[in-house]
Amino acid sequence: MRAKIFFITLAVDDLERSVAFYRDGLGWPTDGIVGREFHDDVTGADGTIAFFALEDGLLLGLYERVNLAKDASLPPGPRSPAEFSMGLPAGSREEVDDLLRKAEAAGATRTAPAHLRPFGVYSGYFADPDGHLFEIAWDSNG
């Protein structure tokens, strides 16, 4: 198995709200919501999804929570923002602070203030409108 991830899919409660957050609030590129015409007869999942083109070919998918559970043939479960976080790079302490403010202005909730971590990384956390956790980080070591 190749050690490469080419897309990450986040389960969301309100697809339109989430697209607006990432597209309009954070300024990430997307073609918007697509796949409305598709339906999986095996799992019952709808194909309605939105993809955001990130750097280096990585895609971020937003998929309604109920459809992601159906698509994976799993029962929907409770969400937990502490299951994982995604890291966003910054070029300086000031950029970390600026990006946290931008995320909050777009509708995110700051969960942890930016500060210098014991291992030399200056970072802070925010949660998107669905509770997905992001860490904006600058490595002061190099």
Side-chain angles (χ1 to χ4, degrees), residues 81-142:
E83 292 174 351
F84 74 96
S85 70
M86 290 183 278
L88 303 177
S92 66
R93 291 174 69 123
E94 294 77 18
E95 188 178 10
V96 169
D97 296 333
D98 289 343
L99 292 173
L100 284 169
R101 282 191 290 277
K102 181 177 182 179
E104 282 184 299
T109 302
R110 189 180 304 210
T111 64
H115 66 281
L116 189 61
R117 311 286 169 170
F119 41 87
V121 172
Y122 182 81
S123 70
Y125 286 87
F126 73 86
D128 76 359
D130 287 282
H132 299 113
L133 194 58
F134 289 82
E135 180 181 13
I136 301 175
W138 170 68
D139 188 353
S140 66
N141 298 308

Side-chain angles (χ1 to χ4, degrees), residues 20-103:
F21 173 78
Y22 288 96
R23 180 192 59 215
D24 305 334
L26 299 185
W28 291 7
T30 182
D31 290 331
I33 298 171
V34 298
R36 295 179 197 269
E37 69 276 20
F38 299 115
H39 182 81
D40 186 330
D41 292 331
V42 174
T43 65
D46 290 334
T48 306
I49 195 166
F51 283 105
F52 292 80
L54 308 179
E55 292 183 19
D56 299 324
L58 183 64
L59 295 174
L60 174 68
L62 303 179
Y63 201 23
E64 288 181 333
R65 187 173 307 284
V66 66
N67 283 316
L68 183 57
K70 285 179 183 179
D71 198 47
S73 297
L74 294 171
R79 57 183 166 146
S80 172
E83 292 174 351
F84 74 96
S85 70
M86 290 183 278
L88 303 177
S92 66
R93 291 174 69 123
E94 294 77 18
E95 188 178 10
V96 169
D97 296 333
D98 289 343
L99 292 173
L100 284 169
R101 282 191 290 277
K102 181 177 182 179

